[in-house]
């Protein structure tokens, strides 16, 4: 019962994937700290510091924390009011031969900042793979419905026809831009490295008796051991918090894309043209048993708004870092960074679930087209009657009058659009009566939409997903099942 008596964030308790939730877990964080301390010790020994092999072996053997070690660290932090030193002490208890050299020459940000950069880079990789799967699923949907005519909307008012698949490509294109932006952010991530308390590496210069070359080599070695190609050339005590801005910006942009897609789907659900998946035992409303609420798309919108505003935290935190650092970033970043990644992870998994189960209702779509298409076909009718020898201005006036009569039937009397019946009953239009069915074929109103879908998927989507890591992600991607 104790677990139910304390607040837990729904991001991890209800929605997030196990992989993303684990990435920002205490167990993974503090194991990463220990790995960073080990890498530092290995590099320092390699460059001549007297660190015994036994110390390294004990550190390697105790990278994972036990429940007892977490208790020790908690007690130490309460006493010392310093989380890093609490964990230095705890690590030293299980690796006593290394107790005197753990964290040698380093400042707290050696582990905290470098670990954050590791988590950010890994988290962005998780998101890239998830996003690739979403794009793949939505692309299959676009291909399936590439030529299905549907009413277009501008200002959410009926406009010219498009196709269900073409509309989906508009969503996919924005997701491709998000893929590009997240990839750029991931590939730009560097390592803080070993820079010391204000970024001058003074402590390491002292350790190596003023040997600048060894200090530079230490930075390179630790960076390589930690899996990075390069370290930021200059830092203060922390890596620049502008990096967090650059990371959260594409995630916020992804939130905007997801919100737009989910909003469109919510509107289509209201029109009963397209619906998200709905289980046979799912309840839409506790009061109105008939309801089929688009709760998945609503969840995407809800969490996307949260994702978009988190970027503001990074902007404000970066702007108020005084000189070489202030600590007012710490508590904020402990919340903002994990929440951004967990929220983006949930948005993508929910969006994937929706895309994998979208239901299209062609007959409803056709009925709505039939209600609006007669008005849209009036120009074609005028052109056809002119080709048969009619007068353009006279034809225009005839159509105008009949259109207003039909609009009266629809708007004032709540009846169906009978414009075409009126055209058929008017002797003036008898020369084109046999052509009316062809003039009203929805396929003649969709322009190049099907061809645009084919070209877009072939020339833009497929090359983007053909990159090896994304190709593997799509191939290995499994259907998302939501637990709530």
């Amino acid at each position: 019962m104790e677990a139910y008596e304390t607040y837990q964030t729904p991001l991890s308790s209800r929605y997030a994937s196990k992989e993303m939730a684990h990435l920002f877990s205490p167990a993974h964080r503090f194991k990463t700290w220990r790995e960073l301390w080990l890498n530092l010790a290995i590099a320092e020994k390699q460059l001549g510091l007297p660190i015994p092999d036994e110390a390294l072996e004990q550190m390697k053997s105790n990278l994972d924390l036990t429940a007892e070690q977490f208790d020790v660290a908690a007690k130490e932090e309460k006493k010392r009011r310093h989380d890093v030193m609490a964990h230095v002490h705890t690590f030293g208890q299980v690796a006593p031969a290394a107790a005197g050299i753990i964290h040698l020459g380093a400042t707290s940000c050696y582990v905290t900042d470098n670990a954050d950069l590791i988590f950010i880079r890994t988290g962005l990789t998780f998101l890239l793979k998830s996003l690739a799967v979403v794009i793949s699923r939505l692309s299959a949907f676009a291909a399936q419905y590439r030529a299905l005519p549907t009413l277009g909307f501008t200002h959410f008012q009926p406009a010219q026809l498009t196709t269900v698949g073409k509309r989906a490509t508009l969503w996919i294109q924005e997701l491709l831009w998000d893929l590009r932006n997240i990839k750029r952010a991931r590939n730009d991530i560097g390592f803080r490295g070993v820079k010391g308390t204000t970024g001058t590496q003074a402590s390491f210069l002292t350790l190596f008796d003023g040997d600048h070359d060894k200090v530079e080599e230490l930075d390179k070695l630790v960076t390589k051991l930690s899996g990075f190609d390069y370290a930021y050339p200059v830092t203060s005590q922390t890596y620049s918090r502008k990096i967090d801005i650059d990371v959260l910006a594409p995630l916020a942009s992804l939130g905007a894309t997801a919100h737009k897609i989910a909003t469109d789907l919510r509107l289509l659900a209201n029109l009963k043209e397209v619906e998200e998946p709905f289980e046979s035992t799912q309840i839409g409303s506790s009061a109105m048993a008939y309801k089929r609420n688009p709760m998945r798309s609503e969840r995407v919108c809800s969490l996307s708004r949260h994702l978009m505003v988190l970027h503001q935290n990074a902007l404000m935190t970066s702007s108020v870092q005084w000189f070489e650092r202030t600590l007012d970033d710490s508590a904020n970043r402990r919340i903002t960074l994990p929440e951004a990644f967990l929220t983006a992870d949930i948005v993508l998994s929910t969006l994937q679930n929706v895309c994998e189960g979208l239901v299209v209702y062609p007959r409803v779509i056709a009925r709505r087209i039939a209600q609006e298409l007669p008005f849209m076909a009036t120009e074609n009718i005028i052109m056809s009657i002119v080709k048969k020898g009619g007068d353009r201005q006279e034809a225009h006036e005839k159509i105008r009058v009949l259109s207003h009569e039909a609009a009266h039937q629809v708007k004032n009397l709540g009846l169906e659009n009978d414009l075409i019946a009126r055209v058929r009953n008017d002797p003036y239009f008898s020369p084109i009566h046999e052509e009316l069915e062809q003039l009203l074929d929805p396929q003649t109103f969709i322009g190049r939409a099907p061809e645009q879908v084919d070209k877009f998927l072939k020339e833009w989507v497929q090359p983007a997903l053909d990159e090896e890591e994304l190709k593997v992600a799509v191939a290995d991607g499994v259907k998302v099942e939501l637990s709530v």
Side-chain angles (χ1 to χ4, degrees):
M1 283 300 296
E2 185 177 349
Y4 297 101
E5 294 173 350
T6 304
Y7 173 77
Q8 295 179 334
T9 171
L11 292 177
S12 58
S13 64
R14 285 175 64 88
Y15 304 129
S17 66
K18 291 181 180 179
E19 294 78 9
M20 193 66 82
H22 174 70
L23 179 63
F24 291 95
S25 68
H28 184 65
R29 178 174 298 278
F30 299 131
K31 178 181 180 179
T32 303
W33 286 11
R34 290 185 175 189
E35 290 171 341
L36 287 165
W37 281 320
L38 173 61
N39 291 341
L40 179 61
I42 290 172
E44 288 175 336
K45 177 180 174 63
Q46 187 173 329
L47 291 171
L49 293 187
I51 296 174
D53 291 337
E54 184 183 9
L56 299 183
E57 289 303 316
Q58 288 184 3
M59 292 173 79
K60 289 178 184 177
S61 299
N62 291 279
L63 294 176
D64 291 295
L65 282 75
T66 64
E68 292 75 17
Q69 290 174 45
F70 272 105
D71 289 339
V72 170
K75 292 175 183 175
E76 282 294 318
E77 184 174 358
K78 185 176 182 180
K79 179 170 64 175
R80 302 175 189 275
R81 301 296 179 187
H82 199 290
D83 55 349
V84 173
M85 287 309 298
H87 279 273
V88 168
H89 174 84
T90 305
F91 197 14
Q93 284 194 347
V94 295
I101 57 91
I102 294 172
H103 202 65
L104 182 60
T107 188
S108 297
C109 287
Y110 167 69
V111 287
T112 57
D113 274 35
N114 282 323
D116 280 343
L117 290 166
I118 292 170
F119 302 152
I120 287 170
R121 190 176 67 169
T122 303
L124 290 174
T125 298
F126 287 168
L127 294 178
L128 281 172
K129 293 178 179 179
S130 297
L131 180 51
V133 175
V134 172
I135 292 172
S136 174
R137 300 294 193 265
L138 201 50
S139 296
F141 176 83
Q144 181 179 356
Y145 295 103
R146 58 183 286 281
L148 180 61
T150 189
L151 193 63
F153 291 97
T154 58
H155 315 276
F156 202 31
Q157 299 298 313
Q160 289 292 327
L161 300 191
T162 182
T163 68
V164 173
K166 170 62 192 300
R167 179 177 283 148
T169 63
L170 303 180
W171 303 334
I172 298 167
Q173 180 168 247
E174 295 193 6
L175 292 172
L176 285 177
W177 293 333
D178 293 319
L179 190 77
R180 174 202 64 193
N181 295 341
I182 294 173
K183 191 184 305 178
R184 284 176 179 171
R186 192 272 306 269
N187 293 345
D188 280 349
I189 295 295
F191 198 59
R192 176 192 174 274
V194 289
K195 298 296 196 293
T197 55
T198 58
T200 65
Q201 297 177 309
S203 59
F204 296 105
L205 194 62
T206 299
L207 274 177
F208 289 101
D209 299 321
D211 191 328
H212 290 268
D213 291 337
K214 282 192 174 182
V215 174
E216 287 192 12
E217 186 62 22
L218 177 71
D219 205 0
K220 292 178 182 178
L221 279 173
V222 175
T223 298
K224 184 177 181 180
L225 285 169
S226 300
F228 284 77
D229 294 330
Y230 83 102
Y232 297 117
V234 292
T235 73
S236 59
Q237 186 174 104
T238 69
Y239 71 77
S240 171
R241 297 311 183 219
K242 194 169 181 67
I243 302 300
D244 295 345
I245 296 175
D246 292 347
V247 169
L248 266 59
L251 301 192
S253 184
L254 170 64
T257 301
H259 200 294
K260 186 267 192 293
I261 295 171
T263 299
D264 282 355
L265 290 172
R266 291 165 66 189
L267 294 171
L268 289 169
N270 176 263
L271 298 175
K272 298 180 175 59
E273 293 188 2
V274 181
E275 288 184 342
E276 65 179 36
F278 194 94
E279 280 86 12
S280 60
T281 58
Q282 184 174 330
I283 297 174
S285 169
S286 61
M288 295 167 280
Y290 62 88
K291 294 197 76 177
R292 291 169 63 97
N293 297 331
M295 51 80 66
R296 292 169 173 82
S297 298
E298 290 173 318
R299 180 182 299 171
V300 170
C301 289
S302 180
L303 291 172
S304 292
R305 290 198 300 273
H306 181 59
L307 182 57
M308 287 186 276
V309 300
L310 286 173
H311 184 226
Q312 295 297 313
N313 260 339
L315 288 165
M316 289 185 282
T317 296
S318 177
S319 70
V320 297
Q321 289 302 287
W322 301 348
F323 301 114
E324 280 65 50
R325 89 108 14 128
T326 61
L327 197 61
D328 63 349
D329 64 335
S330 179
N332 186 296
R333 294 176 69 255
R334 287 174 192 255
I335 299 168
T336 299
L337 290 179
E339 283 200 359
F341 280 88
L342 265 66
T343 304
D345 173 65
I346 300 160
V347 165
L348 286 174
S349 62
T350 309
L351 202 55
Q352 180 184 332
N353 174 267
V354 169
C355 293
E356 290 172 339
L358 286 173
V359 181
V360 177
Y361 296 103
R363 292 185 180 181
V364 176
I365 293 172
R367 186 175 66 211
R368 181 159 284 107
I369 290 175
Q371 292 171 346
E372 301 293 341
L373 192 58
F375 294 131
M376 298 177 190
T378 53
E379 185 174 6
N380 289 355
I381 292 173
I382 292 172
M383 295 298 183
S384 294
I385 201 68
V386 171
K387 287 180 181 179
K388 296 291 186 179
D391 179 272
R392 191 266 176 195
Q393 312 311 329
E394 186 179 1
H396 184 279
E397 178 60 19
K398 288 277 189 181
I399 284 292
R400 186 190 70 81
V401 172
L402 295 180
S403 295
H404 283 295
E405 291 174 354
H408 175 77
Q409 297 289 310
V410 174
K411 295 179 179 179
N412 296 94
L413 303 181
L415 301 176
E416 294 296 322
N417 188 335
D418 64 354
L419 175 59
I420 299 305
R422 292 175 183 273
V423 172
R424 289 188 189 278
N425 292 330
D426 191 321
Y428 178 80
F429 293 101
S430 59
I432 63 166
H433 282 172
E434 293 183 359
E435 300 176 20
L436 285 176
E437 186 172 343
Q438 181 181 350
L439 292 174
L440 289 168
D441 181 1
Q443 292 291 338
T444 65
F445 288 83
I446 60 175
R448 297 190 61 256
E451 291 74 22
Q452 286 180 339
V453 172
D454 296 340
K455 185 171 180 145
F456 175 71
L457 295 179
K458 179 181 178 181
E459 297 185 2
W460 292 93
V461 177
Q462 200 54 54
L465 299 185
D466 274 345
E467 293 189 16
E468 190 58 31
E469 69 172 330
L470 302 184
K471 184 187 294 185
V472 172
V474 171
D476 294 344
V478 297
K479 189 175 181 179
V480 168
E481 298 290 345
L482 301 183
S483 57
V484 291

